[in-house]
Amino acid sequence: MGTYVGAHIVWDWNGTLFHDNDAIIGATNAAFAELGLEPITLEKYRTLYCVPVPKFYERLMGRLPTSAEWEVMDAVFHRYYTLHRVRCGLTEGAADLLAGWRSAGRSQSLLSMYGHDELVPLVRGFGIETHFLRVDGRTGPSGGSKADHMVRHLTALDGVEPARTVIIGDAADDAVAALHVGAQAVLYTGGSHSRASLEEVGVPVVDTLAEAVAEAERLAA
């Protein structure tokens, strides 16, 4: 694995490195349509979105979806998303930031709540897989928190200490996962949450990935 200096970054994928807001909103509205719900805007999504995902649906429906409703909505969401993600690309500047972090002798990895078997070929297709010590996607049911996945992810990274790890993501749940393992977090406003909702979490909030990387360097200093 080599010798690395400074902070280790654990990157989030959806809404952070992968700019897929349009596909996410389209998939969400396709899922809502299955239950006869009105479509929502990106602004409303970013204001209300939370994890676990059924809680987000509760905010919109006024009640938790039943198990049967959740299964239908989840299946429709993923089917729509898979079809439309092909129109999405990396967030502006992401590839250069990944390459720069690696060339400076620092380590990084990727942990996503997107299904592992779909995530890995997608990352590979963008030609960025070699920048990461490890790429992990979700295994098991969708809709839950990243915290337990983060424990397994860091445990699998030899020589990476939580105390020198910074999670960069676009959701409050990324900060929750960081706290759970004793790491730090930087939250990016370009994804699933509004700036106002991210600022409630109490960790640094930035508007670009370049700022996120600079903040990770500062936190590790």
Side-chain angles (χ1 to χ4, degrees):
M1 289 174 58
T3 301
Y4 300 98
V5 298
H8 174 84
I9 291 177
V10 178
W11 290 94
D12 174 56
W13 180 245
N14 302 97
T16 304
L17 289 176
F18 190 44
H19 187 65
D20 59 350
N21 289 347
D22 289 345
I24 290 286
I25 291 299
T28 299
N29 285 330
F32 287 169
E34 285 294 307
L35 299 187
L37 300 174
E38 293 294 320
I40 64 170
T41 63
L42 176 61
E43 181 179 9
K44 186 172 184 179
Y45 178 96
R46 298 177 76 241
T47 298
L48 297 179
Y49 181 75
C50 65
V51 172
V53 177
K55 184 69 176 178
F56 167 56
Y57 288 161
E58 181 184 26
R59 292 181 173 184
L60 294 161
M61 298 169 63
R63 62 173 177 82
L64 279 170
T66 66
S67 296
E69 287 172 335
W70 163 251
E71 290 179 8
V72 169
M73 296 172 79
D74 191 48
V76 170
F77 177 94
H78 284 97
R79 185 165 62 247
Y80 181 101
Y81 180 83
T82 299
L83 289 173
H84 292 270
R85 74 183 186 196
V86 296
R87 298 182 297 175
C88 303
L90 296 178
T91 300
E92 183 178 359
D96 289 340
L97 289 168
L98 294 172
W101 188 263
R102 181 189 181 198
S103 66
R106 302 184 178 102
S107 61
Q108 57 198 328
S109 58
L110 194 159
L111 174 61
S112 172
M113 294 300 284
Y114 192 45
H116 182 78
D117 291 342
E118 295 176 283
L119 173 69
V120 172
L122 184 58
V123 172
R124 187 173 295 147
F126 282 110
I128 58 174
E129 184 183 21
T130 56
H131 296 316
F132 304 112
L133 299 183
R134 187 177 182 89
V135 174
D136 283 330
R138 171 185 50 77
T139 56
S142 62
S145 173
K146 185 179 276 188
D148 290 339
H149 295 270
M150 187 66 71
V151 173
R152 291 190 290 272
H153 182 74
L154 290 184
T155 299
L157 291 171
D158 293 336
V160 173
E161 297 295 330
R164 74 173 186 91
T165 298
V166 180
I167 284 80
I168 297 179
D170 69 316
D173 189 54
D174 291 301
V176 172
L179 179 64
H180 187 69
V181 297
Q184 301 190 73
V186 179
L187 298 180
Y188 163 62
T189 62
S192 61
H193 282 38
S194 66
R195 170 175 273 277
S197 62
L198 291 178
E199 288 178 339
E200 293 176 0
V201 180
V203 302
V205 177
V206 298
D207 295 320
T208 68
L209 294 187
E211 292 175 282
V213 169
E215 191 65 21
E217 289 183 293
R218 186 189 69 80
L219 291 171

